[in-house]
Amino acid sequence: MNRFVPESLRIETMASGRLCLRLSGKIGWKDFEAFAEELLPILEATVVEKSNGVEMRIWKLDLPHCSLRLVYEDFPVCISLESSTDEADGVLRELHQKLKTVYNSQK
């Protein structure tokens, strides 16, 4: 069972026109890395690059069919997966369903 459960799980369109999957607004800066490490095997993803700023963390992830960004924003607190291509938009939709299934089965 996972220690962190994403409570949001909703898809939104970003200003760029690409999709993002909102995961949580409750997990703070100090718990982000542990949350991310639990999430990676579910996504079947590996971390390619980590960038940490003052109010934001961005991890570039490689998945079987695309790359996504796992983003933590400090104000307002939000963790999301972000797309940058049409293919990644489709993968985000699939991951949305997969995560709902995985986390709903733990309730």
Side-chain angles (χ1 to χ4, degrees), residues 33-50:
E33 192 157 340
F35 170 78
E37 294 296 338
E38 281 187 10
L39 187 63
L40 292 173
I42 297 168
L43 300 177
E44 299 176 43
T46 56
V47 178
V48 177
E49 182 180 334
K50 294 180 181 181

mmCIF file of all heavy atoms in Angstrom, residues 33-50:
data_model
loop_
_atom_site.group_PDB
_atom_site.id
_atom_site.type_symbol
_atom_site.label_atom_id
_atom_site.label_comp_id
_atom_site.label_asym_id
_atom_site.label_seq_id
_atom_site.Cartn_x
_atom_site.Cartn_y
_atom_site.Cartn_z
ATOM 1 N N GLU A 33 9.638 14.284 -2.654
ATOM 2 C CA GLU A 33 10.528 13.249 -3.181
ATOM 3 C C GLU A 33 10.028 11.843 -2.836
ATOM 4 O O GLU A 33 10.029 10.952 -3.684
ATOM 5 C CB GLU A 33 11.957 13.445 -2.687
ATOM 6 C CG GLU A 33 12.917 12.568 -3.436
ATOM 7 C CD GLU A 33 14.343 13.072 -3.410
ATOM 8 O OE1 GLU A 33 14.579 14.266 -3.152
ATOM 9 O OE2 GLU A 33 15.218 12.240 -3.672
ATOM 10 N N ALA A 34 9.559 11.646 -1.609
ATOM 11 C CA ALA A 34 9.027 10.332 -1.221
ATOM 12 C C ALA A 34 7.775 9.999 -2.035
ATOM 13 O O ALA A 34 7.597 8.867 -2.485
ATOM 14 C CB ALA A 34 8.719 10.304 0.271
ATOM 15 N N PHE A 35 6.907 10.984 -2.226
ATOM 16 C CA PHE A 35 5.714 10.788 -3.050
ATOM 17 C C PHE A 35 6.121 10.402 -4.473
ATOM 18 O O PHE A 35 5.601 9.447 -5.049
ATOM 19 C CB PHE A 35 4.865 12.068 -3.071
ATOM 20 C CG PHE A 35 3.744 12.034 -4.069
ATOM 21 C CD1 PHE A 35 2.581 11.335 -3.796
ATOM 22 C CD2 PHE A 35 3.845 12.710 -5.272
ATOM 23 C CE1 PHE A 35 1.535 11.294 -4.719
ATOM 24 C CE2 PHE A 35 2.815 12.682 -6.199
ATOM 25 C CZ PHE A 35 1.661 11.964 -5.918
ATOM 26 N N ALA A 36 7.062 11.143 -5.029
ATOM 27 C CA ALA A 36 7.515 10.878 -6.393
ATOM 28 C C ALA A 36 8.104 9.473 -6.524
ATOM 29 O O ALA A 36 7.820 8.762 -7.498
ATOM 30 C CB ALA A 36 8.536 11.929 -6.815
ATOM 31 N N GLU A 37 8.900 9.061 -5.549
ATOM 32 C CA GLU A 37 9.523 7.733 -5.599
ATOM 33 C C GLU A 37 8.470 6.618 -5.535
ATOM 34 O O GLU A 37 8.652 5.562 -6.138
ATOM 35 C CB GLU A 37 10.553 7.571 -4.481
ATOM 36 C CG GLU A 37 11.769 8.481 -4.627
ATOM 37 C CD GLU A 37 12.620 8.222 -5.863
ATOM 38 O OE1 GLU A 37 12.573 7.111 -6.432
ATOM 39 O OE2 GLU A 37 13.333 9.156 -6.273
ATOM 40 N N GLU A 38 7.379 6.841 -4.810
ATOM 41 C CA GLU A 38 6.283 5.862 -4.785
ATOM 42 C C GLU A 38 5.538 5.830 -6.120
ATOM 43 O O GLU A 38 5.053 4.789 -6.545
ATOM 44 C CB GLU A 38 5.272 6.205 -3.683
ATOM 45 C CG GLU A 38 5.690 5.796 -2.318
ATOM 46 C CD GLU A 38 4.582 6.001 -1.292
ATOM 47 O OE1 GLU A 38 3.430 6.276 -1.653
ATOM 48 O OE2 GLU A 38 4.891 5.879 -0.095
ATOM 49 N N LEU A 39 5.442 6.980 -6.753
ATOM 50 C CA LEU A 39 4.686 7.108 -7.995
ATOM 51 C C LEU A 39 5.417 6.516 -9.208
ATOM 52 O O LEU A 39 4.785 5.953 -10.106
ATOM 53 C CB LEU A 39 4.377 8.590 -8.236
ATOM 54 C CG LEU A 39 3.455 8.960 -9.373
ATOM 55 C CD1 LEU A 39 2.057 8.387 -9.150
ATOM 56 C CD2 LEU A 39 3.393 10.484 -9.518
ATOM 57 N N LEU A 40 6.735 6.617 -9.226
ATOM 58 C CA LEU A 40 7.521 6.197 -10.395
ATOM 59 C C LEU A 40 7.238 4.768 -10.859
ATOM 60 O O LEU A 40 7.022 4.546 -12.058
ATOM 61 C CB LEU A 40 9.016 6.395 -10.145
ATOM 62 C CG LEU A 40 9.477 7.843 -10.049
ATOM 63 C CD1 LEU A 40 10.941 7.899 -9.628
ATOM 64 C CD2 LEU A 40 9.251 8.580 -11.352
ATOM 65 N N PRO A 41 7.220 3.764 -9.977
ATOM 66 C CA PRO A 41 6.945 2.407 -10.462
ATOM 67 C C PRO A 41 5.527 2.247 -11.027
ATOM 68 O O PRO A 41 5.328 1.485 -11.960
ATOM 69 C CB PRO A 41 7.131 1.521 -9.231
ATOM 70 C CG PRO A 41 7.678 2.359 -8.153
ATOM 71 C CD PRO A 41 7.563 3.782 -8.551
ATOM 72 N N ILE A 42 4.580 2.966 -10.468
ATOM 73 C CA ILE A 42 3.203 2.889 -10.982
ATOM 74 C C ILE A 42 3.149 3.459 -12.392
ATOM 75 O O ILE A 42 2.466 2.928 -13.266
ATOM 76 C CB ILE A 42 2.235 3.650 -10.049
ATOM 77 C CG1 ILE A 42 2.209 2.986 -8.670
ATOM 78 C CG2 ILE A 42 0.827 3.710 -10.649
ATOM 79 C CD1 ILE A 42 1.525 3.804 -7.590
ATOM 80 N N LEU A 43 3.904 4.527 -12.627
ATOM 81 C CA LEU A 43 3.947 5.161 -13.954
ATOM 82 C C LEU A 43 4.841 4.397 -14.927
ATOM 83 O O LEU A 43 4.818 4.680 -16.121
ATOM 84 C CB LEU A 43 4.483 6.591 -13.836
ATOM 85 C CG LEU A 43 3.732 7.571 -12.962
ATOM 86 C CD1 LEU A 43 4.467 8.905 -12.932
ATOM 87 C CD2 LEU A 43 2.306 7.739 -13.449
ATOM 88 N N GLU A 44 5.645 3.463 -14.405
ATOM 89 C CA GLU A 44 6.670 2.778 -15.199
ATOM 90 C C GLU A 44 7.627 3.806 -15.788
ATOM 91 O O GLU A 44 7.967 3.772 -16.971
ATOM 92 C CB GLU A 44 6.037 1.920 -16.293
ATOM 93 C CG GLU A 44 5.126 0.827 -15.755
ATOM 94 C CD GLU A 44 4.427 0.044 -16.849
ATOM 95 O OE1 GLU A 44 5.095 -0.293 -17.847
ATOM 96 O OE2 GLU A 44 3.222 -0.214 -16.690
ATOM 97 N N ALA A 45 8.060 4.730 -14.925
ATOM 98 C CA ALA A 45 8.878 5.861 -15.362
ATOM 99 C C ALA A 45 10.233 5.859 -14.675
ATOM 100 O O ALA A 45 10.390 5.314 -13.579
ATOM 101 C CB ALA A 45 8.152 7.165 -15.047
ATOM 102 N N THR A 46 11.186 6.490 -15.333
ATOM 103 C CA THR A 46 12.494 6.736 -14.744
ATOM 104 C C THR A 46 12.766 8.234 -14.796
ATOM 105 O O THR A 46 12.302 8.930 -15.695
ATOM 106 C CB THR A 46 13.616 5.993 -15.490
ATOM 107 O OG1 THR A 46 13.585 6.364 -16.867
ATOM 108 C CG2 THR A 46 13.461 4.492 -15.369
ATOM 109 N N VAL A 47 13.514 8.707 -13.824
ATOM 110 C CA VAL A 47 13.861 10.123 -13.768
ATOM 111 C C VAL A 47 15.093 10.362 -14.631
ATOM 112 O O VAL A 47 16.113 9.700 -14.474
ATOM 113 C CB VAL A 47 14.146 10.567 -12.317
ATOM 114 C CG1 VAL A 47 14.555 12.035 -12.267
ATOM 115 C CG2 VAL A 47 12.944 10.311 -11.430
ATOM 116 N N VAL A 48 14.970 11.329 -15.533
ATOM 117 C CA VAL A 48 16.073 11.682 -16.419
ATOM 118 C C VAL A 48 16.818 12.902 -15.895
ATOM 119 O O VAL A 48 18.033 13.005 -16.032
ATOM 120 C CB VAL A 48 15.545 11.978 -17.843
ATOM 121 C CG1 VAL A 48 16.649 12.411 -18.770
ATOM 122 C CG2 VAL A 48 14.816 10.786 -18.398
ATOM 123 N N GLU A 49 16.050 13.816 -15.287
ATOM 124 C CA GLU A 49 16.642 15.066 -14.824
ATOM 125 C C GLU A 49 15.815 15.618 -13.670
ATOM 126 O O GLU A 49 14.588 15.511 -13.673
ATOM 127 C CB GLU A 49 16.645 16.065 -15.978
ATOM 128 C CG GLU A 49 17.259 17.390 -15.697
ATOM 129 C CD GLU A 49 17.199 18.309 -16.920
ATOM 130 O OE1 GLU A 49 17.141 17.811 -18.061
ATOM 131 O OE2 GLU A 49 17.196 19.520 -16.705
ATOM 132 N N LYS A 50 16.492 16.206 -12.691
ATOM 133 C CA LYS A 50 15.824 16.859 -11.557
ATOM 134 C C LYS A 50 16.287 18.305 -11.488
ATOM 135 O O LYS A 50 17.488 18.572 -11.500
ATOM 136 C CB LYS A 50 16.172 16.174 -10.232
ATOM 137 C CG LYS A 50 15.664 14.771 -10.089
ATOM 138 C CD LYS A 50 16.068 14.201 -8.735
ATOM 139 C CE LYS A 50 15.602 12.778 -8.561
ATOM 140 N NZ LYS A 50 15.973 12.223 -7.241
#
